[in-house]
Amino acid sequence: MKGVAGDAVVRTHGLTKYYGKQRGIEDLNLEVLAGEVFGFLGPNGAGKTTTIRMLLGLLHPTRGTAEVFGLDTERDGVRVRRQVGYLPGDLSMYENMHAIEFLDFMARMRGGVPSAAIAKLAERLDLDLSRHIHDLSKGNRQKLGVVQAFMHEPQLLVLDEPTSGLDPLVQLTFQELVREATARGASVFLSSHVLAEVEQLAGRVGIVVDGHLAVVERVSTLKERAIRRLDLDFGAPVDPAFLTGVTGIRDVNQHGSVISCVVTGHVTELLRAAAAAGVQNVVSHEPDLEEIFLDYVGGGEGRAGHVDSQNLA
């Protein structure tokens, strides 16, 4: 089932899971669009894995709904899982099988996969399919997990910590596979602690904090809104009083001819004031996704409430 670009292939409404009195995830509302990589971020215990299991129909929600390709994941979990490429964070396999036997077994469950497609993926990942699974290293087990997720060219990939244990060169191959999948119109739901990887691959991210969705936004927009540090070099010491009244700045420090400050949001007003004061050089330390993530997790603006509906598109 292939989605049209811009259509939602994943949709949740009020998705909530409690384990007794313990909260897993609460009132999750999000959409994943056809052809996009959606990064799903949060600290340990935030509810990421709980969400993924409900999206696949492996866990029943306490309340709320989740749909994949328009199918209710609680009622139609088997059909959903057949159409999805899933790589769990706690990957387990049949230890007594050879790698190729395991992949053949998974291929039959998905209605058949050409052996040439399996062989090509294994070659790209430098994976020996003739070995017993119990003899494989952690990295090679992860490669095997990547192959079984991608081999049937699913229209949705749900990937939980997909590069755990992979060496840097194989990580690059994994990124190529993701880009090739989205190029053919597939969607990717990517949960990872490797924030640099999410930043490279994802167009939008959702950040979950304490079981609630703190923000859903394009990575580029988050970076525009995030804090950054600027170093303003005037060539000679100047009175920093020109900063009085400039909004969105804090932590002003002066070292000789250089004035440093932290800016939240747009820097236009600051740069105009600095230009009037005779600035000669400006160095901007741009935020990366890790800094943005830590700001939300550490109690920034996203921690205060739920995401605005306008950010879902």
Side-chain angles (χ1 to χ4, degrees):
M1 188 179 298
K2 187 171 182 177
V4 177
D7 288 349
V9 297
V10 174
R11 180 181 285 114
T12 71
H13 178 70
L15 193 63
T16 299
K17 179 64 180 179
Y18 273 86
Y19 303 95
K21 293 184 178 180
Q22 184 179 359
R23 180 268 312 146
I25 194 79
E26 190 167 30
D27 292 328
L28 180 70
N29 299 296
L30 62 77
E31 292 182 347
V32 178
L33 307 180
E36 78 166 334
V37 179
F38 184 91
F40 196 55
L41 309 176
N44 289 333
K48 302 188 303 300
T49 299
T50 293
T51 299
I52 287 173
R53 288 174 177 169
M54 286 191 289
L55 291 181
L56 294 166
L58 299 172
L59 196 62
H60 297 305
T62 303
R63 65 173 183 269
T65 60
E67 293 182 356
V68 173
F69 301 122
L71 299 171
D72 183 283
T73 60
E74 187 173 11
R75 185 179 61 246
D76 301 310
V78 173
R79 292 177 63 190
V80 167
R81 290 191 292 276
R82 187 165 184 158
Q83 298 180 53
V84 172
Y86 175 42
L87 178 56
D90 54 349
L91 181 63
S92 59
M93 292 173 277
Y94 298 104
E95 298 284 328
N96 62 335
M97 284 185 171
H98 290 85
I100 187 60
E101 291 175 328
F102 171 74
L103 293 176
D104 286 342
F105 170 73
M106 296 298 293
R108 289 195 299 273
M109 291 181 64
R110 289 161 178 166
V113 177
S115 57
I118 296 174
K120 182 178 180 180
L121 277 172
E123 181 180 4
R124 291 181 66 178
L125 293 166
D126 192 24
L127 174 63
D128 184 355
L129 296 181
S130 68
R131 299 182 62 187
H132 266 104
I133 290 175
H134 62 68
D135 291 331
L136 295 180
S137 65
K138 175 177 172 55
N140 281 320
R141 286 170 179 253
Q142 195 68 12
K143 292 178 186 179
L144 186 56
V146 171
V147 172
Q148 65 82 30
F150 281 82
M151 65 183 184
H152 56 307
E153 295 193 346
Q155 286 304 116
L156 174 64
L157 287 146
V158 178
L159 308 174
D160 192 0
E161 302 296 338
T163 58
S164 175
L166 299 182
D167 66 52
L169 286 178
V170 179
Q171 290 180 29
L172 291 177
T173 301
F174 166 79
Q175 292 175 23
E176 291 173 0
L177 292 174
V178 169
R179 293 188 178 102
E180 290 166 10
T182 56
R184 60 175 171 79
S187 306
V188 180
F189 189 86
L190 173 63
S191 178
S192 174
H193 281 100
V194 184
L195 298 186
E197 179 176 77
V198 176
E199 184 172 4
Q200 290 176 353
L201 292 173
R204 293 190 307 144
V205 297
I207 300 176
V208 181
V209 182
D210 292 336
H212 292 92
L213 190 60
V215 64
V216 173
E217 190 54 273
R218 292 174 178 83
V219 173
S220 58
T221 303
L222 281 177
K223 293 177 76 170
E224 288 175 3
R225 295 176 180 173
I227 62 172
R228 71 196 73 195
R229 178 168 290 278
L230 263 65
D231 297 331
L232 310 171
D233 189 350
F234 294 86
V238 298
D239 186 351
F242 75 91
L243 293 172
T244 302
V246 177
T247 58
I249 64 170
R250 58 180 170 85
D251 297 344
V252 177
N253 293 287
Q254 185 170 20
H255 302 282
S257 65
V258 177
I259 293 177
S260 299
C261 61
V262 169
V263 188
T264 302
H266 294 290
V267 299
T268 305
E269 185 180 354
L270 170 62
L271 294 179
R272 284 173 179 164
V279 70
Q280 295 183 8
N281 189 39
V282 178
V283 176
S284 176
H285 303 278
E286 294 298 314
D288 57 23
L289 188 56
E290 182 170 4
E291 292 174 307
I292 296 168
F293 170 77
L294 291 174
D295 184 48
Y296 276 96
V297 172
E301 60 180 288
R303 203 175 173 91
H306 301 289
V307 64
D308 293 334
S309 60
Q310 66 184 10
N311 289 335
L312 291 176

